[in-house]
Each structure stands twice: as C-alpha cells, then as structure tokens.
Amino acid sequence: MQPHFEYIQDALYCEGVALADIARGAGTPVYVYSAASILDRYHAYDEALVDFPHLICYAVKANSNLGVLRLLVTAGSGFDIVSGGELFRVLKAGGDPGKVVFSGVGKTADEIEYALESGIHGFNSESEPELALIDALASRRGVQARVSLRVNPDVDATTHPYISTGLREHKFGVDIREAEGMYVRARSFGNLLLEGVSCHIGSQLLNTGPLMQAFDKMVSLVERLRAIGVPIKSLDLGGGIGVAYQPGEKMPSIPDFVAQMREKIFGRGLHLMIEPGRSIVGEAGVLLSRVLYRKVNGEKQFVIVDAGMNDLIRPALYQSHHEIIPLRLDGRGTITADIVGPVCESGDFLARDREVADVLPGDFMAVCTAGAYGFVAASNYNSRPRAAEVLVHGDEWRIVRERESLEDLVRGE
Ligand SMILES: *Cc1c(COP(=O)(O)O)cnc(C)c1O
C-alpha cells in the first residue's frame, strides 16, 4: 500500500480521513493527495543533501495543482518547469523565481521573455538556435541569462519507450559528443552565463543503474569542459526515479540513490541540482471513482466506473498498471474483470483481466498511485468535466480544485 494510505476497520483511509467521506462529500471521480506523503518524499531528498550545496527543483509537470505547489514552496523547494503556464502556476503558489529552472525542447520567445522578466534561476537549453534566442532576448533586456545545456548522455533508460529520453535517437538534449563544441561556440553569446550542464534520461526508473551510468558520463563531461576553460559550476541530474505501481515493485531508496549520486560528484566543487517529479507525488495520490454498472459480454466481465481515460490516461497511453482497490472491504471475494470508463474508445480502460473485489454498483474504488501524471494529463474528451482534486492534511481534507461545471466546458467558445 502507498505510504499514508491504509485500511482501518475495513475502510480505506488517507492519513486520518476515510476516503469514502471524500468520495461522498466531493463526488467522483476525484483525485486525493496526501500532504504528509508529498512532504516526506521532498524531505527525504532534502535531508540526504543537507550538507551538500544543492537545489531540488520539483518537476511541476508531474502534478501542478496549486495546493501541491504551495506545500512544496513552504518546504523550500525549487521548481523545474517546461512551459510559461507552469511558471505562472509556480508564481501563483508563491514560489521563489530564483529557484526555478526552465526545461523543455521548444520554448517560445514569449515564454523566454516571461521567464527573464520573472527573474528565474536559469534555463536548461536543448539546441543552439534556442541559445541564440535566449541570448538575444536577454541582451534586449540588458540582463545575463544563466544557461545549462541539456546533454543527451546516450544511455538506455530501459523504461517505457514514451518516457525514455536519453538515447541519441530521442528529440531531447544535445548529443554528448557535440556538447564541448557547442559550449565553445556559445562563448560568443555575450548575455549567457554558461555555468552548468544538465541531463534527464527518462522516467519511472526502478533500477538506478542507467542513471548512474549517465551521471558518470556527465561528470567526465564536466571535467573535459573545465579542461578547455569552460567554468562549469553546477550539474543538474534531472528526475527519473520510479515508484511502485505493481505488487512486488519497489521504488529505489531515495537516501541510497542520493548517496550514490553524491559519491560521484564529491570533491569536484559542483552545485547539485535534481528535478524529481514522480518520486515526490506519484505514491501520494489516488483517483476515487464509483462503480456505475456490472456487465458480462460472452466470457468477459466488465466493471464500468465513472472515471475514464480522460481522467487518467496512463493505462491507455503507456499500458501502465494501477492497482484498483475497494474503499470498503466487505469479504465478498473477487472477480476477474476489465475496469473500464464511460469514454467511447476501446482504449478507455483502467485495468484489463484484473482480479478485483466483487464490487456492486454504487461502491467506490481507488485507483492507486495516481498522484503523478494523472490529473495534469486529464482532458475534456467526450465533453467530460475534469475531476475535482482534494488535499488531505492529517484528519482534515479540502478541495484544492473544484470539479469543472458544464459551463466550464464551453468557456471561450
Ligand atoms: C519530466 C521531467 C522531469 C521529472 O521526471 P520524473 O520522472 O517525474 O522524476 C525532470 N526533468 C525534466 C527535464 C523532465 O522533462
């Protein structure tokens, strides 16, 4: 079970709150996040780095709810953003722009302007034309922009192909073999402070081997750059630590991972940056939904629930596994069924051929480990209003995003 989620007298709780109370009070589908879980994970990273110069930049794209961001702002976190919209959210949440790094392969001039105007810490840039644009816009404002090149270390993250980013064939980063040449050419840009290098090789890595391989390559790149007179001061090692979605899976220990990372860069005078997303929020959230109908087609059983692929696209997009458990254990036994949503697509499933509780219409179920890349990727497909989001704090809960209304669906049309 996810930390801070447990059955107490056959009812599923998040911290001190019975999830059925939230399902009834806020309606379904609804995402529920545990504040304690999010803070525990952030502190696990932060404490493992306490005596090392570092900045943890939570990857906003994993879960960008303002309530979640505010928690992390209070804890002292920085933020990794991939759009102007995410910068807007961080600033709304009271985040310190001086702790924001702007990543992503396709920043527009407007987004770069907005980031410069806000005074962000720096950019992770992925191409020479983008360096030129950042330089030109910084020059027009009369400021210096801190930039790291995102390097592609060419290691195989051995994760799902859609979330693997560190091979030469991927659109991300600049080829590590070309990085030195680019740093040298970039010296001609008068308004860039090229003080760092960065990488991010993929997501949902349960094995830290590929990350360590990448870090070795990055450290030797830093040494090569310094040898040719490029004064690299900081190393950004991205995100990528996976979480346990399936029984038997185990997420890597954050303290062990950080210790391994520290060992590689110890004594090199480098400021360390990391950009964890999923490992902070993934296990902190569930998606609650209500059973609408049971149905049998031939040999197959279906449980039709009120959450669909528009609410949680991960099973359809990545064939990902989420445990689905009842909010109340009533000893009725199990069935093997497809758990499907109401969306008119055969890809609209939350689980296939899964042994699940023998639920009845009206029962509530929790789709587990849904705190990362869940609500943020929700859509209005089939004109379905997006779900509400709830944050639990001890024995209190509050709605941190209201369920969309029908009017919201047509706003702007
Ligand atoms: C998505 C992303 C992250 C976060 O990855 P997780 O696997 O969620 O930790 C970090 N950095 C960059 C550049 C990203 O694109």
Side-chain angles (χ1 to χ4, degrees):
M1 191 79 74
Q2 303 160 238
H4 300 286
F5 289 81
E6 62 173 333
Y7 284 103
I8 300 174
Q9 290 173 347
D10 293 337
L12 187 60
Y13 275 69
C14 170
E15 301 190 30
V17 177
L19 286 169
D21 289 346
I22 297 176
R24 281 190 209 99
T28 52
V30 58
Y31 278 92
V32 180
Y33 311 122
S34 156
S37 176
I38 294 169
L39 292 173
D40 282 356
R41 290 293 168 78
Y42 174 80
H43 288 130
Y45 279 109
D46 200 39
E47 279 159 22
L49 286 164
V50 68
D51 52 346
F52 200 94
H54 74 278
L55 180 60
I56 299 167
C57 293
Y58 164 69
V60 174
K61 76 174 191 283
N63 184 327
S64 59
N65 184 282
L66 291 181
V68 170
L69 298 183
R70 283 198 190 104
L71 272 181
L72 290 163
V73 166
T74 308
S77 186
F79 298 92
D80 173 65
I81 58 166
V82 292
S83 70
E86 288 188 351
L87 176 54
F88 178 75
R89 284 182 171 276
V90 168
L91 298 176
K92 275 270 174 207
D96 175 357
K99 292 184 182 175
V100 170
V101 291
F102 194 166
S103 299
V105 73
K107 308 171 192 76
T108 66
D110 284 349
E111 289 176 314
I112 295 167
E113 287 269 20
Y114 179 31
L116 289 171
E117 181 190 325
S118 308
I120 67 163
H121 173 82
F123 297 84
N124 287 337
S125 180
E126 306 205 10
S127 68
E128 229 159 325
E130 187 185 74
L131 286 180
L133 180 59
I134 297 172
D135 181 63
L137 296 173
S139 161
R140 203 154 66 181
R141 294 191 157 264
V143 296
Q144 299 286 103
R146 193 176 291 107
V147 177
S148 295
L149 269 191
R150 172 161 170 190
V151 171
N152 187 330
D154 195 31
V155 298
D156 189 350
T158 60
T159 182
H160 189 280
Y162 290 3
I163 50 176
S164 179
T165 55
L167 281 176
R168 208 167 284 148
E169 71 204 49
H170 296 131
K171 71 175 177 180
F172 297 102
V174 304
D175 190 332
I176 193 161
R177 297 168 306 178
E178 282 160 33
E180 284 151 271
M182 266 171 84
Y183 275 92
V184 169
R185 287 194 296 281
R187 282 176 175 164
S188 62
F189 294 125
N191 290 74
L192 300 186
L193 296 171
L194 272 162
E195 299 176 341
V197 288
S198 73
C199 73
H200 171 72
I201 64 165
S203 198
Q204 185 50 18
L205 305 180
L206 290 175
N207 168 5
T208 57
L211 287 163
M212 294 305 147
Q213 234 179 303
F215 300 167
D216 281 332
K217 289 188 165 191
M218 296 301 287
V219 167
S220 35
L221 174 65
V222 168
E223 297 305 339
R224 291 202 301 280
L225 287 168
R226 285 174 165 177
I228 57 172
V230 183
I232 298 298
K233 294 182 190 161
S234 81
L235 181 55
D236 181 339
L237 294 176
I241 290 290
V243 299
Y245 286 107
Q246 311 213 23
E249 275 180 348
K250 201 166 174 303
M251 88 174 271
S253 138
I254 291 173
D256 290 354
F257 168 68
V258 172
Q260 278 180 284
M261 183 186 252
R262 285 178 60 146
E263 201 169 306
K264 298 207 179 291
I265 57 175
F266 179 76
R268 293 174 198 274
L270 281 167
H271 182 264
L272 176 66
M273 297 169 72
I274 50 171
E275 303 166 347
R278 190 191 310 266
S279 55
I280 290 186
V281 291
E283 292 188 4
V286 294
L287 170 61
L288 304 184
S289 104
R290 188 164 53 90
V291 177
L292 299 175
Y293 306 106
R294 289 273 301 267
K295 161 167 161 173
V296 182
N297 276 358
E299 304 281 274
K300 247 180 129 64
Q301 296 235 41
F302 292 90
V303 175
I304 303 165
V305 300
D306 67 357
M309 66 188 289
N310 73 297
D311 299 300
L312 181 67
I313 202 171
R314 298 190 70 259
L317 187 59
Y318 309 119
Q319 297 81 47
S320 60
H321 180 108
H322 288 267
E323 285 290 290
I324 302 179
I325 58 179
L327 295 200
R328 172 155 285 283
L329 297 176
D330 53 14
R332 270 208 309 270
T334 62
I335 53 166
T336 298
D338 284 14
I339 318 296
V340 301
V343 174
C344 300
E345 295 277 349
S346 295
D348 180 30
F349 58 88
L350 296 171
R352 277 189 161 153
D353 293 323
R354 183 75 64 79
E355 188 175 351
V356 288
D358 187 5
V359 285
L360 297 173
D363 287 349
F364 295 120
M365 302 185 90
V367 182
C368 298
T369 326
Y373 306 106
F375 182 88
V376 285
S379 77
N380 292 123
Y381 188 39
N382 280 204
S383 285
R384 289 168 50 81
R386 283 182 296 172
E389 292 175 285
V390 161
L391 188 62
V392 172
H393 225 133
D395 50 17
E396 293 172 27
W397 64 276
R398 69 193 164 87
I399 293 176
V400 286
R401 183 187 166 101
E402 287 177 22
R403 181 178 311 289
E404 284 179 336
S405 66
L406 295 178
E407 279 303 321
D408 289 332
L409 289 178
V410 295
R411 198 173 305 288
E413 287 181 27

